[in-house]
Amino acid sequence: MNVDHKVQTLDEFTIQQMRDFPHATGELSSLLRDIGLAAKRVNVEVNKAGLVDILGDAGTVNVQGEDVKKLDIYANNQFMGVLKHGISCGGIASEELDDFFPFDDPVSNNSKYVCLFDPLDGSGNIDTNVSIGTIFSVYRRVTPKGAPVQEIDFLQPGRDQVAAGYIVYGSSTMLVYATRRGVNGFTLDPSIGEFTMSHPTIRTPEFGRIYSVNHGNFFQYEEPVKRYITNCQKKDKTNGGPYTQRYIGSMVADVHRNLIKGGIFMYPGTLEKPKGKLRLLYECNPCAFILEVAGGKATDGKQRILDVQPTELHQRSPLFIGSKGMMEELEGCF
Ligand code: AHM
Ligand code: MG
């Protein structure tokens, strides 16, 4: 009897991966399943955001002094909830929480992983029906099991990530996640309510023609960055310049498009904010891990993002990320 079927769901895929490792405990598969479930719940709310009273400021300000939208809080609670009730995660850190949060129950204290996330990236775009996303990052805890996780479990360099991924709530909803073994993309099939494999073994093109940056800040950038942006606009480029500028203002959507089509995304430091806007742990590290596994590069302008030793949970970092060839052109301007 032929029991092969063509389209694999996220759960089937993670279980298949586990079967390839006879000693695997299944904890990572279970964690990814939890994340997939929370993503489906958030997706439902994002899709009906225009219909119900869920839009608008929740009237609070997050730890970085930014307005919090209601959907941010909803997404944060969903991801926290599934991970707390799962069996794989000892605690979380989130862009929306002041401090890390140890789950501190007997199962969680014996779990292998901690998870960090930006529950709703690009949430400034919610009101205008533009793609937004969730970004997540998974590390093995470094403190011994049996006790609540500690801050040191979260302050690990990005190179030690076990898995990282994002969900884009866009014209379709996609979950992309990477382990050291590869990057795979799953599209939510609304007819069965499952993420199904749509982009197996993603490799980012070595060169692209898209550069993504907030041009409004041009005069605030340091000279090498200005030089690179100006080069992107020149016609005599050997790689078919001028390049095309695309900037959605939702990093997940910008990075996702560039991952698939080839390109470079930049959020440089500015005169006012030398470390830029993006958070090392919730935004830069997971995207850097995904891009590197897919064959791209990511730096803060000085060093590889994944080698930065974090010192605080909400630390910010400049970010340059994308196709290897374009990243090398950028590096040539420094
Ligand atoms: P957020 O996590 O508060 O949504 O902020 C991060 C977002 C990124 O998704 C996006 O690339 C960036 O902010 C856009 O910022 P700017 O408007 O300064 O270019
Ligand atoms: Mg964000």
Side-chain angles (χ1 to χ4, degrees):
M1 184 170 61
N2 181 10
V3 290
D4 285 346
H5 57 162
K6 284 205 178 87
V7 186
Q8 228 177 5
T9 68
L10 175 65
D11 292 355
E12 288 174 320
F13 177 77
T14 51
I15 289 166
Q16 177 63 50
Q17 297 264 299
M18 196 182 88
R19 286 168 67 113
D20 294 345
F21 280 99
H23 301 297
T25 59
E27 275 189 70
L28 185 61
S29 311
S30 147
L31 191 143
L32 289 165
R33 220 164 31 237
D34 294 342
I35 288 175
L37 173 62
K40 284 191 262 185
R41 289 185 176 146
V42 172
N43 179 59
V44 169
E45 294 308 314
V46 169
N47 279 336
K48 67 182 186 201
L51 297 174
V52 291
D53 180 29
I54 204 157
L55 287 174
D57 297 345
T60 54
V61 168
N62 75 9
V63 284
Q64 283 120 26
E66 297 150 331
D67 285 338
V68 173
K69 308 280 183 180
K70 286 181 188 174
L71 264 178
D72 293 31
I73 299 170
Y74 179 83
N76 190 58
N77 292 345
Q78 287 306 321
F79 283 95
M80 242 175 107
V82 289
L83 293 169
K84 181 167 170 45
H85 294 110
I87 55 158
S88 318
C89 186
I92 53 124
S94 156
E95 192 181 301
E96 296 302 340
L97 300 177
D98 292 4
D99 211 346
F100 70 99
F101 185 82
F103 293 146
D104 195 10
D105 60 68
V107 175
S108 303
N109 288 349
N110 281 297
S111 305
K112 228 197 246 178
Y113 299 109
V114 293
C115 194
L116 297 87
F117 52 89
D118 178 354
L120 216 51
D121 180 60
S123 52
N125 284 321
I126 297 171
D127 294 351
T128 48
N129 205 5
V130 173
S131 297
I132 48 180
T134 297
I135 313 174
F136 63 90
S137 174
V138 182
Y139 292 83
R140 204 166 278 121
R141 67 181 293 176
V142 289
T143 55
K145 283 183 181 178
V149 292
Q150 296 170 33
E151 190 178 44
I152 183 183
D153 293 312
F154 298 91
L155 294 181
Q156 301 190 49
R159 60 171 181 263
D160 292 338
Q161 285 169 100
V162 173
Y166 57 75
I167 297 106
V168 200
Y169 311 100
S171 47
S172 59
T173 296
M174 261 195 86
L175 185 151
V176 173
Y177 91 86
T179 62
R180 266 165 232 287
R181 300 170 73 188
V183 185
N184 291 283
F186 301 82
T187 302
L188 185 63
D189 178 348
S191 65
I192 57 168
E194 292 287 352
F195 284 104
T196 52
M197 172 72 84
S198 54
H199 295 64
T201 325
I202 298 172
R203 300 289 300 170
T204 197
E206 196 153 317
F207 267 103
R209 296 192 61 258
I210 297 172
Y211 73 104
S212 310
V213 69
N214 186 338
H215 258 290
N217 291 335
F218 184 85
F219 293 107
Q220 295 251 338
Y221 297 145
E222 56 181 329
E223 287 310 317
V225 177
K226 286 188 199 162
R227 220 167 13 247
Y228 178 68
I229 294 175
T230 308
N231 282 348
C232 288
Q233 297 168 332
K234 286 191 180 151
K235 208 176 169 57
D236 59 354
K237 292 187 61 56
T238 44
N239 299 317
Y243 292 159
T244 294
Q245 203 272 350
R246 292 278 180 270
Y247 189 71
I248 294 171
S250 277
M251 179 174 124
V252 176
D254 277 315
V255 166
H256 176 68
R257 180 202 53 239
N258 292 1
L259 170 75
I260 303 295
K261 294 196 162 201
I264 188 168
F265 172 90
M266 299 174 269
Y267 204 111
T270 60
L271 292 174
E272 274 166 28
K273 295 180 182 165
K275 294 203 158 210
K277 176 183 186 187
L278 303 175
R279 294 80 170 167
L280 176 64
L281 297 184
Y282 312 117
E283 292 163 324
C284 304
N285 269 340
C287 290
F289 183 82
I290 296 164
L291 256 291
E292 280 205 9
V293 176
K297 289 182 90 173
T299 74
D300 64 3
K302 293 192 172 61
Q303 64 171 324
R304 183 180 173 226
I305 286 284
L306 298 181
D307 284 339
V308 177
Q309 173 61 55
T311 52
E312 49 184 289
L313 288 174
H314 295 291
Q315 164 171 354
R316 297 186 194 250
S317 169
L319 177 66
F320 304 90
I321 184 166
S323 296
K324 193 162 162 276
M326 294 181 86
M327 284 294 295
E328 283 165 3
E329 285 178 349
L330 167 78
E331 283 157 16
C333 292
F334 272 90

